[in-house]
Amino acid sequence: MILAKVLGPVVSTVKHASYAGLKLLVVQPVNETGAAEGKSLLAVDRVSSAGEGDTVLILKEGTGVRQLFGLPKEAKLPIQACIVGVVDEVAVGAGEKK
Amino acid sequence: MYLGRVVGTVVAQTKAEGLSGQKLLLVQPLDHDQKPNGPIEAAVDTVRAGPGDLVFLVGSREASLALEEAFVPVDAAIVGFVDSVHAGGGK
């Protein structure tokens, strides 16, 4: 998974059926210090209440997302990135607080 | 997934079978501030988008999962129109 900061929501009313009812957020990947690193991307959010400015964990792999949705192998889920956690704290090194 | 702006269309008479019948559009990938973010690419359209539309796309293998047909050899598919993007959280 990658660490990313939530930049905000993406509003899309006309979209592929698989995205119906899902929150769509634009997120900026960050490194362990919270600095932006890499291209921003979109991720869906089913469970968390992540909002603007939150740091989150993003699963960026389609098969994993399908399994997260509890769908069988044959199900066709065109979703590549999903929020799988809201990060409270990132500590680098032997227990140093960030 | 990522944001994109449809900037044109692509017509290809000769193409892999899986692609026949698929509508191909030319898309400029965008970042969260809707600025160009990578080279222009061709993408299959699943929502009847057209030039000028702000859309979002899914890439790599998941792109082919956006289509009804069994396996379509695509790695970029437009899967939704974007009404608005709020990206203030990064500032």
Side-chain angles (χ1 to χ4, degrees):
Chain A
M1 286 78 75
I2 59 166
L3 290 168
K5 178 175 273 195
V6 175
L7 299 181
V10 172
V11 177
S12 170
T13 40
V14 176
K15 55 199 170 184
H16 190 281
S18 296
Y19 288 84
L22 291 179
K23 215 163 80 169
L24 196 57
L25 297 170
V26 55
V27 301
Q28 168 60 56
V30 293
N31 63 24
E32 70 287 1
T33 69
E37 199 167 280
K39 288 185 176 182
S40 58
L41 66 142
L42 307 187
V44 297
D45 182 12
R46 290 172 72 226
V47 286
S48 89
S49 52
E52 271 185 51
D54 286 343
T55 299
V56 291
L57 282 177
I58 304 274
L59 173 65
K60 267 181 73 174
E61 196 278 323
T63 307
V65 175
R66 177 179 51 74
Q67 288 163 345
L68 189 65
F69 278 54
L71 292 174
K73 217 184 222 314
E74 313 70 45
K76 299 178 84 164
L77 190 69
I79 297 179
Q80 227 183 335
C82 183
I83 290 179
V84 290
V86 179
V87 175
D88 298 315
E89 179 195 324
V90 176
V92 179
E96 289 155 51
K97 278 275 179 300
K98 256 287 154 224
Chain B
M1 293 75 77
Y2 52 99
L3 295 170
R5 173 81 64 191
V6 180
V7 294
T9 56
V10 176
V11 175
Q13 298 300 345
T14 308
K15 49 196 174 198
E17 313 95 66
L19 278 176
S20 61
Q22 299 298 343
K23 184 178 149 198
L24 294 174
L25 292 174
L26 213 52
V27 176
Q28 166 61 68
L30 302 175
D31 68 12
H32 52 282
D33 291 326
Q34 296 183 39
K35 291 202 296 297
N37 183 24
I40 283 184
E41 60 185 24
V44 67
D45 174 35
T46 71
V47 290
R48 282 195 286 281
D53 287 334
L54 181 62
V55 293
F56 72 95
L57 302 95
V58 63
S60 69
R61 196 214 179 295
E62 281 64 42
S64 68
L65 298 178
L67 298 161
E68 299 304 324
E69 296 75 4
F71 177 68
V72 182
V74 291
D75 61 8
I78 296 170
V79 283
F81 288 91
V82 171
D83 307 324
S84 59
V85 182
H86 306 275
K91 305 287 176 303

